[in-house]
Amino acid sequence: WSPHRSYIYQKRWVKLDADYLRYFDSEKDTYSKRLIPVSSISRVSSIGDQKFEVVTNNRNFVFRAENDADRNEWIWTLQQIAEEWKSKAPERTLMSLATNSATELADKSGFLELRGFKHKLFVVVARDKVFLYKNAEDYRLGIGITYIEMNVGNVKEVDRRGFDLTTPYRIFR
């Protein structure tokens, strides 16, 4: 469901793992357009006509599947993984559910310009990953754009103010 509640659905490739629900422009993309920590999912429910809603502590995401059976499978799977995450961390408070490993383990964070984006992004280095957020508020809420695994990347200074983060899939400048 596109931003600003315009009811225009944009076809996306969606992946779910133990930590994140991420969506991409296509199945060939390596870096997501958005990542939603499983830890922040509070509810998943059907809203009819192949649609379902993923409710986080701070934002709702609406998806539409190819058919009702596919929608029901997504709902069941997301509910299971969210419950599993919560059961493994019962001592966490509701507020800490909105955080993810990036917010808890940040080694370095701040605003950087990234070629291809109009505005500066909030960038967080946490262990072996670099997380990209639209702004500091999204970082605080735990809703990011993507992350880059540094075990496949390297950094090269380009000039006095810039550097390239090179991966086998893309160069972030």
Side-chain angles (χ1 to χ4, degrees):
W1 195 8
S2 64
H4 314 297
R5 299 222 179 265
S6 63
Y7 293 102
I8 298 171
Y9 286 88
Q10 301 168 349
K11 193 167 189 162
R12 298 287 186 246
W13 182 256
V14 181
K15 290 182 183 179
L16 174 66
D17 62 33
D19 297 316
Y20 299 102
L21 175 66
R22 300 180 293 158
Y23 59 84
F24 306 77
D25 277 332
S26 77
E27 64 183 290
K28 295 178 182 175
D29 289 345
T30 303
Y31 299 105
S32 60
K33 296 186 69 62
R34 178 68 74 194
L35 60 86
I36 305 162
V38 170
S39 62
S40 71
I41 297 174
S42 57
R43 184 171 49 86
V44 182
S45 58
S46 171
I47 55 175
D49 295 334
Q50 304 155 346
K51 294 179 253 180
F52 63 97
E53 184 175 47
V54 176
V55 178
T56 69
N57 300 327
N58 46 56
R59 184 170 167 194
N60 298 358
F61 297 87
V62 176
F63 294 91
R64 187 173 71 194
E66 296 285 327
N67 55 57
D68 286 342
D70 199 23
R71 177 204 56 201
N72 294 342
E73 189 174 340
W74 272 105
I75 291 170
W76 184 85
T77 303
L78 286 164
Q79 288 172 337
Q80 293 299 109
I81 200 165
E83 283 303 314
E84 184 178 308
W85 191 94
K86 289 173 188 169
S87 70
K88 287 182 179 177
E91 70 282 355
R92 293 181 186 229
T93 64
L94 188 60
M95 192 59 149
S96 70
L97 290 175
T99 64
N100 62 29
S101 61
T103 59
E104 294 167 1
L105 304 169
D107 297 317
K108 173 78 176 146
S109 63
F111 289 95
L112 291 175
E113 293 178 16
L114 181 64
R115 182 174 286 167
F117 286 85
K118 293 178 186 176
H119 306 286
K120 289 183 179 181
L121 297 180
F122 194 76
V123 179
V124 176
V125 178
R127 291 190 176 172
D128 61 343
K129 291 182 175 72
V130 175
F131 291 82
L132 305 179
Y133 296 89
K134 285 184 177 180
N135 52 48
E137 177 68 9
D138 279 3
Y139 163 69
R140 189 183 67 73
L141 297 173
I143 307 294
I145 297 171
T146 195
Y147 64 84
I148 305 153
E149 294 191 40
M150 289 307 298
N151 63 346
V152 297
N154 61 54
V155 179
K156 177 183 171 189
E157 189 174 347
V158 175
D159 58 36
R160 199 170 53 103
R161 293 184 55 218
F163 61 91
D164 286 350
L165 194 161
T166 305
T167 73
Y169 316 104
R170 181 175 169 188
I171 297 173
F172 295 89
R173 182 158 287 164

